[in-house]
Amino acid sequence: MSRTITTTLSEPTRIGLRVEPVTVDPDERVLMDVYIEPTRAIASDEDDGAGSRLAGTLAFTTDPKVGEEQFFIVNVPPDMRFDEGEARITLSMTGLEGPIETSAVRLVGARFLK
């Protein structure tokens, strides 16, 4: 799942994320990788190192409940700039003990932080 967010900061240091469990399987331990991609990398075919980069991996610290939003903060990768004022944030779910078959989350919101 992806979301495009805007910013007036060209060099933000962190991203705040709101994630909501949609489906919870208690037998699945879920990790969420957070990727950031500046819009200039999305629009460009050039490989200038500005493409999607892993910002961090998230996990629920307690048993998630459907519809209960959780808040996370991840660091923006060093030297990543957002001169166009936009970026795509992507969450990729993986299982700690195997593939995810039932569990699902929704990226409710994201914003850059100084």
Side-chain angles (χ1 to χ4, degrees):
M1 82 211 57
S2 295
R3 176 181 289 262
T4 299
I5 61 174
T6 60
T7 183
T8 57
L9 305 169
S10 64
E11 296 184 55
T13 58
R14 295 179 305 282
I15 296 175
L17 302 166
R18 291 185 355 229
V19 178
E20 176 186 321
V22 176
T23 307
V24 176
D25 182 338
D27 294 329
E28 293 179 333
R29 296 193 40 164
V30 175
L31 299 175
M32 296 165 282
D33 291 332
V34 180
Y35 294 90
I36 304 172
E37 185 173 14
T39 53
R40 67 182 161 88
I42 296 167
S44 171
D45 291 334
E46 298 176 25
D47 185 6
D48 60 0
S52 182
R53 292 173 55 191
L54 180 65
T57 300
L58 312 175
F60 295 109
T61 56
T62 59
D63 290 334
K65 293 174 181 48
V66 171
E68 185 176 286
E69 288 183 14
Q70 300 282 326
F71 299 90
F72 299 94
I73 294 179
V74 295
N75 291 325
V76 172
D79 302 324
M80 186 170 263
R81 295 185 50 90
F82 303 92
D83 297 325
E84 302 294 322
E86 287 186 333
R88 179 183 299 157
I89 309 300
T90 302
L91 286 184
S92 174
M93 293 177 54
T94 58
L96 189 59
E97 294 139 355
I100 299 297
E101 295 180 12
T102 309
S103 297
V105 298
R106 180 172 73 96
L107 180 57
V108 177
R111 70 181 194 143
F112 284 108
L113 307 169
K114 181 78 175 146

